[in-house]
Amino acid sequence: MTLLEIFQTTFIGFSKAAWQTVLLTFWSLLVGTAIGLVFAFCKISSNKLLNGLAQLYITVIRGTPLIVQIFAIYFGLAEFIVLDSFTAGVFALAIHAGAYIAEIFRGAIQAVDSGQMEAARSLGMSYSLAMRLIILPQAFRRSIPPLGNQFIIGLKDSSLVAYIGGTELWSAGLGAAADNFKQFETYFINGLYYLALILLFTGLLRQLERRLQVEKRGTQG
């Protein structure tokens, strides 16, 4: 089979699997963002217990391979609850991404001038209200570029879900290569799908960053 023939025969399967990859990445980043925000608040908390728990979580997740975490979630939780590969993949990727997102949010929150919190408190705002209305909107804006980068990383990391029976892009590539015995050509085409997805989302991220810069200049003006 030629490269073109392999592309044609795998087009439908790879296209469907690419969509599954996008969904897997989207949901894992969404859940990971929620996890990361919670642990970011724990990390900046004056409570030593919360701070210690956040530090432990971040250290363990960042210090162990993602494939180990995926297997731990999929096979470990099977003792208590049955999860399909997609759901297990979402949770494993979310827990993994959450550790990095926690540091992104922590840095973004602490980068906001502390004088703004002091000014808000002097106007009678509670800490939580000032955080919600004053600090977090600015922190989220600062977090957009690194969160976008985390999405790109998560998209590539999602390939590991193939090893627990996921139906994403890399899993489709493994299956196609096993059928046609053209490993190099099949994996090459599979890689092009990943490259296309990454270029697409990188372009969308850059457009979003430009729009945010324009809005910022308009607000300052």
Side-chain angles (χ1 to χ4, degrees), residues 35-58 102-103 106 109-110 127:
I35 294 173
L37 187 58
V38 170
F39 280 97
F41 280 124
C42 291
K43 190 75 185 291
I44 64 177
S45 172
S46 57
N47 187 301
K48 292 184 178 180
L49 177 60
L50 294 178
N51 192 285
L53 287 174
Q55 187 60 49
L56 177 63
Y57 162 69
I58 292 170
E103 288 294 276
R106 179 196 60 78
I109 291 171
Q110 292 181 334
Y127 177 86

Short mmCIF file of all heavy atoms in Angstrom, two decimals, residues 35-58 102-103 106 109-110 127:
data_model
loop_
_atom_site.label_atom_id
_atom_site.label_comp_id
_atom_site.label_asym_id
_atom_site.label_seq_id
_atom_site.Cartn_x
_atom_site.Cartn_y
_atom_site.Cartn_z
N ILE A 35 -9.86 21.51 39.37
CA ILE A 35 -8.95 20.93 40.36
C ILE A 35 -7.80 21.90 40.64
O ILE A 35 -7.43 22.14 41.80
CB ILE A 35 -8.40 19.58 39.87
CG1 ILE A 35 -9.53 18.55 39.78
CG2 ILE A 35 -7.30 19.07 40.80
CD1 ILE A 35 -9.12 17.23 39.14
N GLY A 36 -7.24 22.44 39.58
CA GLY A 36 -6.11 23.34 39.73
C GLY A 36 -6.46 24.59 40.51
O GLY A 36 -5.66 25.07 41.32
N LEU A 37 -7.65 25.13 40.28
CA LEU A 37 -8.07 26.34 40.99
C LEU A 37 -8.20 26.07 42.49
O LEU A 37 -7.77 26.88 43.32
CB LEU A 37 -9.40 26.85 40.42
CG LEU A 37 -9.90 28.21 40.93
CD1 LEU A 37 -8.86 29.29 40.65
CD2 LEU A 37 -11.22 28.56 40.27
N VAL A 38 -8.80 24.92 42.82
CA VAL A 38 -8.94 24.55 44.23
C VAL A 38 -7.58 24.44 44.91
O VAL A 38 -7.35 25.01 45.99
CB VAL A 38 -9.72 23.22 44.37
CG1 VAL A 38 -9.65 22.71 45.81
CG2 VAL A 38 -11.16 23.40 43.95
N PHE A 39 -6.66 23.73 44.28
CA PHE A 39 -5.35 23.54 44.89
C PHE A 39 -4.49 24.81 44.84
O PHE A 39 -3.58 24.96 45.66
CB PHE A 39 -4.63 22.35 44.25
CG PHE A 39 -5.08 21.03 44.78
CD1 PHE A 39 -6.04 20.28 44.10
CD2 PHE A 39 -4.59 20.55 45.98
CE1 PHE A 39 -6.47 19.06 44.61
CE2 PHE A 39 -5.02 19.33 46.49
CZ PHE A 39 -5.97 18.59 45.81
N ALA A 40 -4.77 25.69 43.90
CA ALA A 40 -4.07 26.98 43.88
C ALA A 40 -4.44 27.79 45.13
O ALA A 40 -3.57 28.40 45.77
CB ALA A 40 -4.43 27.76 42.62
N PHE A 41 -5.73 27.78 45.48
CA PHE A 41 -6.16 28.48 46.69
C PHE A 41 -5.57 27.82 47.94
O PHE A 41 -5.20 28.51 48.90
CB PHE A 41 -7.69 28.51 46.79
CG PHE A 41 -8.33 29.55 45.94
CD1 PHE A 41 -9.28 29.22 45.00
CD2 PHE A 41 -7.99 30.89 46.08
CE1 PHE A 41 -9.89 30.19 44.21
CE2 PHE A 41 -8.57 31.87 45.30
CZ PHE A 41 -9.53 31.52 44.37
N CYS A 42 -5.48 26.49 47.91
CA CYS A 42 -4.86 25.79 49.04
C CYS A 42 -3.39 26.16 49.15
O CYS A 42 -2.85 26.32 50.26
CB CYS A 42 -5.00 24.28 48.87
SG CYS A 42 -6.69 23.65 49.03
N LYS A 43 -2.73 26.32 48.00
CA LYS A 43 -1.30 26.60 47.99
C LYS A 43 -1.00 27.99 48.55
O LYS A 43 0.03 28.19 49.21
CB LYS A 43 -0.78 26.49 46.56
CG LYS A 43 0.74 26.53 46.43
CD LYS A 43 1.36 25.23 46.87
CE LYS A 43 2.88 25.31 46.84
NZ LYS A 43 3.41 25.40 45.47
N ILE A 44 -1.88 28.95 48.30
CA ILE A 44 -1.64 30.31 48.79
C ILE A 44 -2.30 30.56 50.15
O ILE A 44 -2.21 31.65 50.69
CB ILE A 44 -2.14 31.37 47.78
CG1 ILE A 44 -3.66 31.29 47.61
CG2 ILE A 44 -1.42 31.23 46.45
CD1 ILE A 44 -4.22 32.36 46.68
N SER A 45 -2.96 29.52 50.67
CA SER A 45 -3.63 29.66 51.95
C SER A 45 -2.63 29.75 53.09
O SER A 45 -1.54 29.16 53.04
CB SER A 45 -4.57 28.46 52.17
OG SER A 45 -5.09 28.47 53.48
N SER A 46 -3.01 30.47 54.14
CA SER A 46 -2.17 30.56 55.34
C SER A 46 -2.35 29.32 56.22
O SER A 46 -1.60 29.13 57.18
CB SER A 46 -2.52 31.83 56.14
OG SER A 46 -3.90 31.83 56.48
N ASN A 47 -3.35 28.50 55.88
CA ASN A 47 -3.58 27.26 56.63
C ASN A 47 -2.51 26.24 56.25
O ASN A 47 -2.40 25.83 55.09
CB ASN A 47 -4.98 26.71 56.30
CG ASN A 47 -5.36 25.52 57.15
OD1 ASN A 47 -4.67 24.50 57.12
ND2 ASN A 47 -6.45 25.63 57.88
N LYS A 48 -1.73 25.81 57.23
CA LYS A 48 -0.60 24.91 56.96
C LYS A 48 -1.06 23.55 56.44
O LYS A 48 -0.38 22.94 55.61
CB LYS A 48 0.25 24.75 58.21
CG LYS A 48 1.01 26.02 58.62
CD LYS A 48 1.90 25.76 59.81
CE LYS A 48 2.68 27.02 60.18
NZ LYS A 48 3.57 26.78 61.35
N LEU A 49 -2.21 23.08 56.93
CA LEU A 49 -2.72 21.79 56.48
C LEU A 49 -3.08 21.83 55.00
O LEU A 49 -2.69 20.95 54.23
CB LEU A 49 -3.93 21.38 57.31
CG LEU A 49 -4.61 20.07 56.90
CD1 LEU A 49 -3.64 18.91 57.00
CD2 LEU A 49 -5.85 19.82 57.74
N LEU A 50 -3.85 22.87 54.61
CA LEU A 50 -4.24 23.00 53.21
C LEU A 50 -3.02 23.20 52.31
O LEU A 50 -2.92 22.62 51.23
CB LEU A 50 -5.22 24.17 53.04
CG LEU A 50 -6.59 24.02 53.69
CD1 LEU A 50 -7.42 25.27 53.47
CD2 LEU A 50 -7.33 22.79 53.15
N ASN A 51 -2.10 24.02 52.79
CA ASN A 51 -0.89 24.28 52.03
C ASN A 51 -0.07 23.01 51.86
O ASN A 51 0.46 22.72 50.78
CB ASN A 51 -0.05 25.35 52.75
CG ASN A 51 1.07 25.88 51.88
OD1 ASN A 51 2.07 25.21 51.70
ND2 ASN A 51 0.91 27.09 51.37
N GLY A 52 0.01 22.22 52.91
CA GLY A 52 0.77 20.98 52.85
C GLY A 52 0.13 19.96 51.93
O GLY A 52 0.82 19.25 51.18
N LEU A 53 -1.22 19.86 51.96
CA LEU A 53 -1.93 18.95 51.07
C LEU A 53 -1.70 19.32 49.61
O LEU A 53 -1.50 18.45 48.76
CB LEU A 53 -3.42 18.95 51.40
CG LEU A 53 -3.84 18.24 52.69
CD1 LEU A 53 -5.32 18.46 52.97
CD2 LEU A 53 -3.52 16.75 52.62
N ALA A 54 -1.78 20.62 49.32
CA ALA A 54 -1.56 21.08 47.96
C ALA A 54 -0.14 20.78 47.50
O ALA A 54 0.08 20.32 46.37
CB ALA A 54 -1.83 22.59 47.86
N GLN A 55 0.82 21.01 48.38
CA GLN A 55 2.21 20.74 48.03
C GLN A 55 2.45 19.26 47.80
O GLN A 55 3.16 18.85 46.87
CB GLN A 55 3.13 21.24 49.15
CG GLN A 55 4.62 21.15 48.81
CD GLN A 55 4.98 21.98 47.60
OE1 GLN A 55 4.62 23.15 47.49
NE2 GLN A 55 5.68 21.37 46.64
N LEU A 56 1.82 18.41 48.62
CA LEU A 56 1.95 16.97 48.47
C LEU A 56 1.35 16.51 47.13
O LEU A 56 1.97 15.72 46.40
CB LEU A 56 1.24 16.27 49.62
CG LEU A 56 1.23 14.73 49.57
CD1 LEU A 56 2.65 14.18 49.66
CD2 LEU A 56 0.35 14.17 50.69
N TYR A 57 0.15 16.99 46.83
CA TYR A 57 -0.51 16.64 45.56
C TYR A 57 0.34 17.04 44.36
O TYR A 57 0.58 16.23 43.45
CB TYR A 57 -1.88 17.32 45.51
CG TYR A 57 -2.49 17.43 44.12
CD1 TYR A 57 -2.94 16.31 43.45
CD2 TYR A 57 -2.61 18.67 43.50
CE1 TYR A 57 -3.50 16.41 42.18
CE2 TYR A 57 -3.16 18.78 42.23
CZ TYR A 57 -3.60 17.64 41.58
OH TYR A 57 -4.14 17.76 40.33
N ILE A 58 0.81 18.26 44.36
CA ILE A 58 1.59 18.76 43.24
C ILE A 58 2.90 17.98 43.09
O ILE A 58 3.31 17.61 41.99
CB ILE A 58 1.86 20.27 43.40
CG1 ILE A 58 0.55 21.05 43.26
CG2 ILE A 58 2.88 20.76 42.37
CD1 ILE A 58 0.67 22.52 43.63
N ALA A 102 -2.62 24.25 38.83
CA ALA A 102 -2.59 24.86 40.17
C ALA A 102 -1.43 25.86 40.27
O ALA A 102 -1.59 26.96 40.81
CB ALA A 102 -2.44 23.78 41.23
N GLU A 103 -0.29 25.48 39.73
CA GLU A 103 0.86 26.39 39.76
C GLU A 103 0.65 27.58 38.84
O GLU A 103 1.11 28.70 39.13
CB GLU A 103 2.13 25.63 39.37
CG GLU A 103 2.62 24.67 40.43
CD GLU A 103 3.10 25.38 41.67
OE1 GLU A 103 4.26 25.83 41.70
OE2 GLU A 103 2.30 25.50 42.62
N ARG A 106 -1.74 29.82 40.78
CA ARG A 106 -1.06 30.39 41.94
C ARG A 106 -0.17 31.57 41.51
O ARG A 106 -0.21 32.64 42.10
CB ARG A 106 -0.20 29.33 42.63
CG ARG A 106 0.57 29.88 43.84
CD ARG A 106 1.67 28.93 44.26
NE ARG A 106 2.64 28.70 43.20
CZ ARG A 106 3.61 29.55 42.87
NH1 ARG A 106 3.72 30.72 43.50
NH2 ARG A 106 4.44 29.27 41.88
N ILE A 109 -2.41 34.56 40.34
CA ILE A 109 -3.05 35.27 41.46
C ILE A 109 -2.03 36.12 42.20
O ILE A 109 -2.28 37.29 42.53
CB ILE A 109 -3.72 34.27 42.42
CG1 ILE A 109 -4.93 33.63 41.74
CG2 ILE A 109 -4.16 34.96 43.71
CD1 ILE A 109 -5.54 32.47 42.51
N GLN A 110 -0.86 35.56 42.47
CA GLN A 110 0.16 36.29 43.21
C GLN A 110 0.80 37.40 42.37
O GLN A 110 1.42 38.30 42.92
CB GLN A 110 1.23 35.32 43.71
CG GLN A 110 0.71 34.37 44.78
CD GLN A 110 1.77 33.43 45.31
OE1 GLN A 110 2.74 33.10 44.61
NE2 GLN A 110 1.59 32.96 46.53
N TYR A 127 -12.93 39.27 51.83
CA TYR A 127 -11.81 38.68 51.09
C TYR A 127 -12.32 37.89 49.88
O TYR A 127 -11.79 38.03 48.78
CB TYR A 127 -11.00 37.77 52.01
CG TYR A 127 -9.86 37.07 51.32
CD1 TYR A 127 -8.63 37.68 51.17
CD2 TYR A 127 -10.03 35.77 50.79
CE1 TYR A 127 -7.58 37.04 50.52
CE2 TYR A 127 -8.99 35.13 50.14
CZ TYR A 127 -7.77 35.76 50.01
OH TYR A 127 -6.74 35.12 49.35
#
